[in-house]
Amino acid sequence: MRVALAALLSHWRRSPLQLAMLLLGLALATALWSGVQAINAEARASYAEAAATLGQDRLARITAQGPIPQETYVDLRRAGWRVSPVIEGRVRIDERRSLRLIGIEPLTLPAPAQQVEFGEGDALLPFLTAPGLIFAAPETLARMEGADLPPLREAQGIPPGTGLIDIGQAQRLLRMEGLVSHLLLDPDAPRPGELPEGLRLVPPDSESDVARLTDSFHLNLTAFGLLSFAVGLFIVHSAIGLAFEQRRPMFRTLRALGVTARTLTGLLLAELVLFALLAGVAGLALGYLVAALLLPDVAATLRGLYGAEVPGTLAFRPGWAAAGLGIALLGTLVSASQSLWRVAHLPLLAPAQPRAWAVASERALLRQAAAAAGLLILAGALLLWGRGVVAAFVLLAALLLGAALLLPVLLAGVLRLAQRAARGPIAQWFWADTRQQLPGLSLALMALLLALAANIGVGTMVSSFRLTFTGWLDQRLAFELYLSAPDQVTADRIADWLEPRAEAVLPIVRAETEVLGQPAQLYGMADHATYRENWPLLAEEPGVWDRLAGGDWALVNEQLARRERLAPGDPIRLPGWEGRIAAIYSDYGNPSAQVILGIDRFFALHPEAERRRYGIRVAPARAEALAEELRAAFDLPDETLIDQASLKGFSLQVFERTFAVTAALNVLTLGVAGLAMFASLMVLSGMRLPQLAPVWAMGLTKARLARLEMLRTLLLASGTLVAALPLGLALAWVLLAVVNVQAFGWRLPMHVFPLDWLTLGALALGAAALAAAVPVRRLARLRPADLLRVFANER
Amino acid sequence: MNARHHAARGRFALAAALAGLFLIPGAPPTAAQGFAGLGATAEGFAVPERGAGLAFPRDHGPHPDYRIEWWYLTSVLTGEDGRDYGIQWTLFRSALAPREGAGWDSPQLWLGHAALTTPDRHFAAERYGRGGIGQAGVVAEPFEAWIDDWRMTGTAPPGADPLSALELSAAGEGFGYALRLAAQGPLVPQGEQGYSVKSAAGQASWYYSQPFYEVEGQLEIEGETIAVTGQAWLDREWSSQPLAADQTGWDWFSLMFDDGARLMGFRLRDGGAGYTSATWIEPDGRPTPMPPGALRVTPLRVAEVAGREIPVDWRLELPARDLDVTVEAMNDAAWMGTSVPYWEGPITISGSHSGRGYLEMTGY
């Protein structure tokens, strides 16, 4: 057996390139998959940690519309309610940094919420007394370097970007004196009766809103990881297929020498497992690297899009490593199953000559076409009747896989037509030979098709989104200056000061509310031409702005409208208000629900809302000067006043970061597809000597043969490219019109960018040429003796 | 499981921190501090001065410039069912700094203990609260001391001492009580007009009592209501450093004799013989402070409670008053497993005098 194993392994020593290809393919596939998984795991872990902050996953809370007066807390305590106050808010440090503060009252905090060890009183004392003490994760500590905050102290188990502080200090820093955000209820204590009017008991919630909101984002990443993995497996399949084909004679000899089919299969299996583990470990290392490189961008995206805090550094999770190795093993076995089956059923006396894979039989092609049709029909059905993000992704998968399966069928058809149309023996041989090679190359071509289509699709989606987003920003950010005053008094003084100096000064006010059982943001909008002329509406009732100002009509954002199937004219209810929808507006800021009311109605509902933020209209040429005057007159820090251009720049920056990860994965996938192509061509080139030798013998020069080989590769790649274009556009359409709607709640118009396709086409052909270069060069440099030997050798 | 463990650990850590903070501000945790840090130095805080005297109703209220203070009420009761009961209602004040502040800025922290003891059960509960926001506090007149829904409310008519009539309520897991108290005698200053010396080195506190309450009301034990009557004793004490650094705990007795006389006595333990002090109180309230050492206390029986050796039966001798009595715990297991743990429970008196009372033992 050991001899047999040694014989089997000797093959790899003779073809190190093949071994490298196999390991590389597997490692890359594992790397992309596990990299994405690592990012998801890190993000999910931090959501779970955030959800567990103060034991909120295990503690019921008491909330109200808006903040709760501190006296209510004291009244509840004195009525026997074992509650503890919590205040939450964000303090701005400077233009780049802010810190989420959670203010707690450590003396009444229920046990499950206690997560900071105060030591023997030496931390509690400074914690309770001015200037207070902020507990934060080490990473947060580093980020808050130099910030104007109370002293910070390191503590474990606090989510990134969050500081734990005494409630009194928090009220001061957040300017919420006399208010608390919500109350935690001690789970061990009996409830002494009914809650007073206006307060609501919220049961513990193991999953945070953030985790729910970001689900679709992570599903997105997972889908990409899976696609990369699938493409990577094409390489593995090619390399294993080649190795098995080339070892056919060896298998026959071994069998003839008495090695049973079972032993042989077992040995091959062991060999594969060994490779899978080796490549899996390398892939994990690579995946960890990929994840570590991408994570800062992902973290920035999640922060910008969802307000979710994810650390920018990666933790190593053993479960993740095990899963990565598992998927490498599984992938290898799936890729090798066909080859293994063949070895197990190898007829002992059949010719052991490697063939250039099986000749494409009509029947195999028909089967493939039928499977493709089935998948495409499934995709169509999902498009018509599917609901939810998962259905959207299954639709994507069915579409891509169906199209990939269809590709060889289409190419075979085209080649047959070409062959029929060909004149002259060389042309006829060329087409026939290309058809002969198609089955061997089809997997690599499918991989290329998928990568190209993904590239076109995702590229089109991102570019369409960017175009829409930029246009939307232009409309939405209609004010020349945005003011965010440090406190109410200053805000009032500034508003008075601005009145004669600006064309308009409109308050921007918001409050938390609830619509149809989900949390939503409520904004108050002043009746002004700025909004009437600029606010981007998707659907509206006539006279929408007058209706809004009247107070009985509301605007809702597209996300909310799509999720709840709302249309203009529909009734809508908020706590304390009932009315109808006047219009639906587009909103690409974040996926959460938003409602706008006329400002008078808004303040009637939320008299406590602060008027600290204002939009200022002024002649664009005057904006900068006015900002300077304002800063000088009120001694305002820079960050209180932002001009339109900076705000747009910042928003676009968040947008770009959101898709940086997508772009990176896109490029990696294309690279993997190129490798798959290379691997397949290498496989074929080694086996094609018997087919080429007669043609050479009949007088075709090696150089000519090499040129024809190159031409063939480019033709096939071009054919794939042509097929990838409609597929990519279909993919883009599905992403924009189905996946985005399900995942984020907005539907975007599609824009096409033919110039990008040209670039991609050139890139793909270049990659194909590069992949073909090595085998072609090898052909061109063949010694005549090698070709002659084909005739001498026994076949 | 893990989270639960973490939470449990968190609770313990906070309790330890609070215990330390409550009673050992600023002290290194390793130093031998004596019970609950009462031996800590009085840095920045007011210190009792001999001869300054007490003034009422002012001194019923809090003294924020002193480090610690308590309103400590114990009551021995008999139920309509004929059984004996004891209850405790205590509000502690601990100052992080010798000042009062508005809102959360107040450095005053409050701690409530409530307990109910039967011959075979002992219930205890604890509440923490921050000063300054109204969750807990004390007002001298009209008198009210409270933390959460636990209350000691003065019901005396105008002109009378605000402490002469009280309503008292508290509840914890499995127990609760609502009692009305009426004082049958005057307030009794301990030591020299309230200046109570606690060590040979001169540590002292301000200390007065109301040991003459007649009580009636209801107990509630696991849903069952029991009407009770009995006697109660209120202690008021404040200080900044009442114990010497080497004193590790005390054994404190409040004895209410059937003939109407009262005896307050304590022993502060140190490495050696300890320091005893006592006040004999006539049925009409006239106090006679006894010189240090006049009271002799001898443990008679030790019980294992909460993993500790606790002397639950004692012999008390006060030769100057021909007193030689045995006091026995009504329930050995009257352990207060609170963040600062101690033993506190009703006792019965037999020997030269008979009656009932309360015993508090700390530092075991």
Side-chain angles (χ1 to χ4, degrees), chain B residues 191-268:
Chain B
E192 294 171 42
Q193 280 89 50
Y195 182 84
S196 168
V197 177
K198 292 292 192 281
S199 79
Q203 268 81 14
S205 65
W206 288 112
Y207 184 9
Y208 68 91
S209 307
Q210 171 47 275
F212 295 116
Y213 286 116
E214 286 295 320
V215 184
E216 57 163 352
Q218 282 95 39
L219 307 182
E220 190 150 321
I221 301 176
E222 293 181 336
E224 192 190 342
T225 306
I226 302 147
V228 290
T229 55
Q231 291 79 44
W233 179 309
L234 172 71
D235 269 338
R236 284 278 295 115
E237 190 161 13
W238 62 98
S239 174
S240 291
Q241 186 206 8
L243 299 193
D246 61 347
Q247 289 174 332
T248 56
W250 65 75
D251 311 304
W252 176 92
F253 302 84
S254 61
L255 306 185
M256 298 184 276
F257 301 115
D258 293 338
D259 63 5
R262 303 288 189 254
L263 175 68
M264 187 286 296
F266 59 81
R267 176 181 73 156
L268 292 166

Side-chain angles (χ1 to χ4, degrees), chain B residues 152-177:
Chain B
M152 181 192 280
T153 311
T155 54
D161 177 64
L163 288 183
S164 63
L166 296 174
E167 281 183 358
L168 186 75
S169 65
E173 199 179 341
F175 80 101
Y177 51 77

Side-chain angles (χ1 to χ4, degrees), chain A residues 486-512:
Chain A
D487 57 71
Q488 189 64 66
V489 178
T490 316
D492 293 344
R493 282 173 47 220
I494 294 177
D496 289 344
W497 183 89
L498 278 171
E499 206 56 58
R501 293 175 172 85
E503 287 168 23
V505 183
L506 303 179
I508 300 170
V509 289
R510 56 167 285 185
E512 298 300 319

Side-chain angles (χ1 to χ4, degrees), chain A residues 58-60 82 109-112 185-191, chain B residues 4 7 11 127 172-174:
Chain A
R58 280 166 291 147
L59 289 178
R82 303 280 293 278
L109 200 61
L185 189 61
D186 190 327
D188 300 330
R191 294 169 197 176
Chain B
R4 180 169 289 238
R11 170 65 106 195
R127 297 281 187 273
E173 199 179 341

